[in-house]
Every structure is written in structure tokens, then in C-alpha cells.
Amino acid sequence: MKFTPEKYNLPDIPMTPFIDAAEIEAFLAGPRPTMQELEAVIAKSLNKQRLSLQDTATLIKADDPESVALIKQAAKDLKKAVYGNRIVLFAPLYVGNYCMNNCAYCGFRKENKEAVRTTLSREQLIQEVEALEEEGQKRLILVFGEHKLYPPEFIADTARTVYSVKKGAGEIRRVNINAAPLDIEGFRKVKEAGIGTYQIFQETYHPEMYKLYHLAGPKKDYNYRLTALDRAQEAGLDDVGIGALFGLYDWRFETLALVRHTNHLEVCYKVGPHTISFPRMQIASNMAFNRKYELSDADFARMVAILRLAVPYTGLICTAREKADMRREVLQYGVSQIDGGTKLELGAYSEDADEPQDLNREQFHVSDSRSLHSVIDTLLDDSYLPSFCTACYRKGRTGEHFMEFSVPGFIKRFCTPNAIYTLAEYLEDYASAAQKQKGYQLIEKQLQELEEPAATQIRTTLQRIKQGERDLYL
Ligand code: SAM
Ligand code: SF4
């Protein structure tokens, strides 16, 4: 079946639910594809075309070792072609963990009496941001439970406060949000605070399974959550992130549903999600861990490769829920953003560094607790270019006709120079002497691969950064 929006079981109408579980299951049914069918889909993707649901299902069903190896190799090739070697870095900042919902998998759920509840005061928030800035962070995602204490005005004020904090050479240049779905007016208020991406995960796209995990609180309304990012678009907030929590239901279903959600946004608003996240379930405080739908490491890597091929231009995020080795592996297959120096306990960034993790104070267990310095070191060792770039949304390059990497030559023209500038700032202001040397070696290697006059222009700007100028970007 050829991909056309008219053939969906449900039509794509703005603000209208668009997931039909039977449709997704129908795509996933049927035999493993032939090698010819698989190669045709891979060729389409390497040609940088978006894959249809049918094509994506072909990749998912191709589960023999030879096919999986082909898919992974293709994802590696595509990642190099579209993204180059740059990896965007950020950190999460938990602002408040009061919650009216009772999500079965989350340490913050209402009924978890062991959870230590806090909302950062303005002073604590400033201390946290200062501590993050002192590490060299430039991009944060603010995380909130769903509670009357956290209305849109509070989220917007928190973002404004974060932008206002300047410590030494530090500043936060992009504030993203992960919080509850809002109404259109709410999204408008948050947008006015100058946020980057508003991220909401559907958790599981399967409506019946969703009910089982969300028995109480506003989150039990599947459709209100599903259409949240439609309301964001209606509010003019066109930079949105989607995601599913892997481990709640069959990963094949969730992967296809993520592509279905992407299609919906593309058809209705002419712009897909900026990012897709695929957190795997972690142990949380007082949680009975159900392993029925657990996603193995091998299938996790496969899923990332499939998503990369299906949506070549969408950023893929892999957080510190995953162990360092796993993150290193999936970087090859298409992950373009990771967090570094992550702490989930409220107030922990400004606390004594040696405090052990306390599960009752965090949403779930963090598997990669390396410092930002150490994450950057490993990236440099693997010849990745760490980037703190925030240029696009500050230059207004979001929304219709712009998707992160859709313009030919975009990476060379904007992303690589901006990554180099922000890495140089980091090396000047925060790195150890050894890391500084390593970082500039990588920058030099990068410059040698660039054409003129770009390389010379970048060298000139690098000189200005070395002499103390900051926040230079294209
Ligand atoms: N409260 C808001 C919500 O639920 O959308 C936003 C913040 S919530 C703290 C962020 C995300 O963390 C959730 O959407 C969920 O996917 C993820 N999460 C919750 N429990 C988790 C667990 N045990 N392991 C991994 N991720 C989890
Ligand atoms: Fe609350 Fe979000 Fe945790 Fe659910 S996932 S309990 S809504 S913080």
C-alpha cells in the first residue's frame, strides 16, 4: 500500500485523535518482508525520504540477524549524511514533583507516600541554575509534575527566571519544558516566556493499555494528552517533542505510533516534531516493576535505527536513563541529543556532589551519572563534536518550512560552525587543560575537512572567542 494521508483509517484533522490501534496492528501483522522489499525501503530512506507507516512496519518486521545488521548499517550511514558528527548536549532540571496523577510507573505518583515532595523556591531555582551554569550547561529542560501548584503562569515564570540567571561566563540560552498538557491559552502563556521545545510523551499510544496505567487524575484522559501538541500548534508553539515510555506495551506498536504521530503533525501543521524521545522504563520509588513488555538492549538499538531511517530529519534524544555504554552504541544509529551531568533529585545540582542517589527524591533511577565533563570527554574520544548550539530558535528558524535539518547544506552552513563556537566557549571557560587540548584537536580536524572560505571564517570567529567574546552564532 502506498502512503497517502487519505488511506488512514482515521483522517488527520487538527485537534482530533488520530491513533487507530487496529490500523497500527494491521501494519504490523503479516510475514517478514523479503530482502528485496527491505532493501527498497532502506534505499528510500538513504535517499532522505520520509518513510510511510507501511515502510516502517517493513523495517520492524525484518527481524532476522542479516536484516537487522543491514538496518543498523543504513542508520549509521544516514546519520553521518544528515547530522555529521555533532551531538547536542543538555541537562534536565526538576522544578517540582507534586503530582495529582497516579501513573503506575512513576516515583512521583500521588499514592507514593515514600516520595519526598518539593517545589524549588525561587532562591533554590537560582542556585540550581547557577550550579548548572558553572558546569558549562547552556540548554536545560525543566520538568514538572502535574499539579495545581504548576499552572502555565508558574511554568512561564520559572522559564523567565532561568533565563535571567547569569553566573560567571554562564547563561542558559534555551529552556525546554517537559510538563503536563495545557489548553491553548496555557501554551500561549508559556510560549511568551521564550521557551524552546515543549515536550510531552504519550507514554503508551495503545488506548486500552493507557487506561491500565493511568487510573486516576487528569492524565487518565488519553485523547486530551494525544492532542496536546495540536493545541500547542494552535497556540503558535510550533516547536514540540513527542515520545513514548518503552516498557508499557509492545515496542513495535509504540515505534509505529510515534511515526503516526509525526505524520499527523506534518499533515496538519506542515511541521513534524522537533524531537522524538524513547525513554525505557527504569526502577522508581515504590514501584512494582512489570517486565512483560521490557525492551531488550538489542531491540532498543534496533528501534533507534528504525526511527532514524523512518524520520531522517527529526532529532532523537537518548537520556541518562540508559547506561553510558548503551548511549554510546545508539549514538551511532542516529541519536542526536543527550543529557550530561544529569541529577534528578530536586535541588541536587547545588548540593554536595558526593551525596548518594536517593530513589525517594527522584522520579526514577539514573543509569548514567557521569559529569558533563566526563560525557564530553567520551564524545571527544569518539570524534563527536559536542554542541551547545541554541541558534535556530533564537534566529526564529522553527516551524513551517523549517525542520531541524531539512534545508540542503544546512548542517555545513549553520550547525557545524555553531557547534564549533559553542564547544570552543566550553573549552575556554570550563574544561581542564587536557580536555581543552583534546577539544581543539577535534576542532582542527573538523576545520580541515571544511571548504574555503568557511574554514577561514570559522578560524576568525574562534580567535574572537579565545579573546573573550561570547555567544557568537550564525
Ligand atoms: N508530569 C509530566 C508528565 O507526566 O508528562 C511531565 C514530567 S514526567 C516527570 C516526564 C516523563 O518521565 C514521563 O512522561 C514519563 O515518560 C517518564 N517516566 C516516568 N516514570 C518513569 C520511569 N520509571 N522510568 C523512565 N521514565 C519514566
Ligand atoms: Fe505525575 Fe508525570 Fe509522574 Fe505521571 S509521569 S506521576 S504525571 S510526574
Side-chain angles (χ1 to χ4, degrees), residues 99 101-103 105-106 108-109 144-146 203 219 363:
C99 196
N101 292 316
N102 214 19
C103 309
Y105 42 82
C106 179
F108 294 166
R109 71 190 178 283
F144 301 81
E146 181 163 2
E203 319 301 8
K219 195 164 166 178
Q363 194 195 6

Side-chain angles (χ1 to χ4, degrees), residues 105 143-144 178 201 203 219 225 245 282 321 363-364:
Y105 42 82
V143 187
F144 301 81
N178 185 319
F201 305 156
E203 319 301 8
K219 195 164 166 178
R225 195 167 177 91
L245 179 56
Q282 305 298 310
R321 291 172 178 89
Q363 194 195 6
F364 49 80

Side-chain angles (χ1 to χ4, degrees), residues 2 135 211 412:
K2 205 168 168 299
E135 292 296 309
K211 272 188 207 153
K412 262 197 202 156

Side-chain angles (χ1 to χ4, degrees), residues 264-403:
H264 173 76
L265 294 173
E266 283 181 1
V267 169
C268 292
Y269 306 100
K270 311 280 179 288
V271 55
H274 190 121
T275 54
I276 299 184
S277 302
F278 28 81
R280 267 198 298 184
M281 183 104 76
Q282 305 298 310
I283 289 169
S285 159
N286 237 344
M287 171 180 120
F289 203 74
N290 176 0
R291 298 196 180 269
K292 183 167 177 204
Y293 295 110
E294 195 176 14
L295 177 56
S296 68
D297 285 355
D299 284 340
F300 183 71
R302 215 176 119 201
M303 179 271 294
V304 174
I306 291 170
L307 275 180
R308 175 70 303 141
L309 293 177
V311 290
Y313 298 115
T314 307
L316 296 183
I317 300 181
C318 180
T319 67
R321 291 172 178 89
E322 298 298 332
K323 294 198 177 85
D325 286 351
M326 190 75 239
R327 299 222 286 174
R328 197 176 190 184
E329 184 179 348
V330 293
L331 278 174
Q332 306 173 69
Y333 304 136
V335 165
S336 55
Q337 295 195 21
I338 59 172
D339 49 341
T342 298
K343 291 183 184 176
L344 299 192
E345 295 168 13
L346 280 102
Y349 289 114
S350 48
E351 273 173 8
D352 186 355
D354 296 330
E355 289 271 321
Q357 280 188 41
D358 174 357
L359 207 52
N360 290 328
R361 284 181 54 206
E362 54 190 7
Q363 194 195 6
F364 49 80
H365 181 72
V366 176
S367 300
D368 183 357
S369 54
R370 288 174 299 161
S371 65
L372 179 63
H373 181 280
S374 159
V375 168
I376 288 182
D377 234 36
T378 315
L379 288 175
L380 293 172
D381 286 341
D382 291 346
S383 294
Y384 287 114
L385 187 60
S387 173
F388 293 94
C389 179
T390 54
C392 277
Y393 98 102
R394 293 164 83 205
K395 289 266 188 186
R397 293 191 296 251
T398 65
E400 195 178 356
H401 307 308
F402 176 79
M403 288 162 73

